[in-house]
């Protein structure tokens, strides 16, 4: 997966939500993040592995492949900042507050958690929890051409 997909995907290279939040927190010492939109944060590397496995199993139909659990954008941002070791404030705000600040932003559903029961039935297990995946993302060594420091979350 080359880019962050719509939603809460975390890609292994370049700009996506955790790296954007970390950069803003580093620059300003404080970020405001929506806390009333809940979704399924998903690491693109985990999603790619699941897709390959589903193809190998010749799975058909709709299969939701996301990391386990659910989180708000605020939860995801707080975890990313905490894993970065920064002492920045991650302030929760409502969708209405965010839309007042950035009215041009796309409207998102308040609850977009996906059910992975079918994935687990086909593969025998689901993907690891989103917070474990985020930790792995933050600990990845730099990839050539990725344009980031030695650790994603530093």
């Amino acid at each position: 997966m080359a880019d962050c997909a719509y939603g809460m995907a975390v890609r292994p290279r370049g700009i996506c939500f955790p790296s954007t939040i970390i950069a803003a927190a580093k620059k300003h010492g404080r970020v405001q993040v929506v806390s009333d939109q809940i979704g399924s944060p998903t690491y693109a590397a985990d999603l790619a592995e699941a897709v390959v496995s589903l193809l190998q199993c010749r799975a058909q139909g709709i299969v939701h492949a996301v990391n386990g659990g659910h989180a708000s954008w605020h939860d995801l941002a707080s975890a990313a900042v905490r894993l970065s070791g920064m002492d920045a404030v991650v302030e929760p705000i409502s969708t209405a507050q965010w839309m007042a600040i950035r009215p041009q932003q796309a409207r998102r559903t308040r609850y977009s958690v996906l059910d992975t029961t079918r994935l687990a039935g086909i593969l025998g297990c689901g993907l690891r929890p989103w917070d474990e995946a985020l930790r792995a993302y933050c600990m990845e060594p730099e990839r050539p051409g990725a344009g980031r420091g030695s650790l994603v979350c530093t």
Side-chain angles (χ1 to χ4, degrees):
M1 184 171 224
D3 294 314
C4 281
Y6 175 80
M8 299 180 110
V10 176
R11 69 181 184 168
R13 291 185 265 168
I15 299 170
C16 63
F17 185 75
S19 60
T20 299
I21 288 297
I22 290 164
K26 187 179 286 187
K27 181 176 180 180
H28 304 291
R30 170 183 222 91
V31 290
Q32 293 181 318
V33 184
V34 172
S35 62
D36 60 358
Q37 294 176 15
I38 311 298
S40 302
T42 301
Y43 185 27
D46 290 353
L47 176 58
E49 286 182 27
V51 169
V52 168
S53 296
L54 289 166
L55 290 170
Q56 290 171 340
C57 292
R58 300 192 187 287
Q60 295 182 354
I62 296 171
V63 180
H64 297 290
V66 295
N67 286 113
H70 61 276
S72 69
W73 291 103
H74 178 264
D75 296 333
L76 181 55
S78 296
V81 168
R82 184 177 58 255
L83 287 168
S84 76
M86 275 190 289
D87 190 26
V89 175
V90 182
E91 180 183 343
I93 62 171
S94 68
T95 298
Q97 290 171 301
W98 176 246
M99 295 306 288
I101 296 167
R102 296 273 179 104
Q104 75 280 9
Q105 294 296 308
R107 299 203 182 276
R108 295 183 185 265
T109 183
R110 295 228 181 195
Y111 190 80
S112 59
V113 174
L114 299 177
D115 179 0
T116 59
T117 303
R118 186 153 186 260
L119 175 73
I122 294 169
L123 299 182
C125 62
L127 302 182
R128 63 184 159 178
W130 71 266
D131 53 341
E132 287 180 23
L134 180 63
R135 190 173 303 108
Y137 167 81
C138 290
M139 297 308 294
E140 274 189 350
E142 180 181 41
R143 296 175 189 233
R148 58 181 184 205
S150 59
L151 293 178
V152 174
C153 291
T154 59

